[in-house]
Each structure stands twice: as structure tokens, then as C-alpha cells.
């Protein structure tokens, strides 16, 4: 569908921006991708989980740890409860990112 193509195009643009270290611009594209993905994706669709992961990573790298934790946790929930991936490394990658973010949040609480 048109929305699926748009979601993928925004995600591709966001990934390119992310790769260049332009996290704020990448986050904008990932939000646009997420907005489109919510119209055609189901909970079991990896595109939706990936959109949350990408947005979470942008937030993490910009220092927005509470937001990063929120988006990464949504991704983890979708991947662990509805994911059909045969590759356990996908969920491990999400868990690693979430653990890093939670450690940073804990460090802030101790300061």
C-alpha cells in the first residue's frame, strides 16, 4: 500500500541520517515512519517494532533516556510477545540497548 511504502521510505531516510550522526533529523524521519506504520502494521509486524527501536536509539544517543526507555521497551514487548523472528540476536540487540539506557537512568538517579 501507499502507507507501507511511505513508512519504508521514511525509515530508509532516517537510517541514512542516523548513519551520518544526524540523530535529531533521523528521529523526525523515524517518527514519520512510525506514524505511517501504525496505519498498516499489526502487533506482529516487525516493521512496527523496528520503528520503535530506531526511535529509541535516536533518543538514547541524544541523551533522552526516559524517552529511549519507553520506545525500546515497546519494541521489546512487540518482539518478545508477537515477534516471529528466528534470529534471537534481534531481541538480544533490543535488550542490550534497553539495559544501556536503564543504566544511564540509574546513574542520573544516583547523582
Amino acid at each position: 500500500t501507499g502507507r507501507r511504502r511511505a513508512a519504508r521510505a521514511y525509515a530508509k531516510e532516517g537510517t541514512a541520517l542516523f548513519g551520518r550522526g544526524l540523530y535529531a533529523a533521523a528521529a523526525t524521519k523515524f517518527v514519520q515512519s512510525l506514524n505511517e506504520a501504525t496505519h498498516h502494521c499489526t502487533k506482529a509486524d516487525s516493521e512496527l517494532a523496528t520503528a520503535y527501536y530506531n526511535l529509541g536509539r535516536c533518543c538514547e544517543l541524544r541523551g533522552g533516556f526516559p524517552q529511549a526507555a519507553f520506545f525500546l521497551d515497546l519494541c521489546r514487548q512487540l518482539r518478545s510477545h508477537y515477534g516471529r523472528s528466528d534470529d534471537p540476536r534481534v531481541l538480544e540487540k533490543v535488550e542490550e540497548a534497553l539495559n544501556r539506557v536503564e543504566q544511564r537512568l540509574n546513574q542520573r538517579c544516583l547523582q
Side-chain angles (χ1 to χ4, degrees), residues 16-29:
L17 292 165
F18 186 93
R20 296 193 334 241
L22 302 171
Y23 305 123
T28 298
K29 292 298 178 182

Side-chain angles (χ1 to χ4, degrees), residues 80-110:
S80 62
H81 295 294
Y82 303 104
R84 290 181 249 167
S85 175
D86 294 329
D87 188 352
R89 291 175 294 182
V90 173
L91 187 55
E92 287 173 15
K93 187 168 91 170
V94 175
E95 293 283 355
E96 288 170 6
L98 191 54
N99 287 337
R100 277 193 313 271
V101 167
E102 289 173 346
Q103 287 175 353
R104 294 300 297 266
L105 286 170
N106 290 336
Q107 287 172 354
R108 282 188 175 180
C109 288
L110 296 174

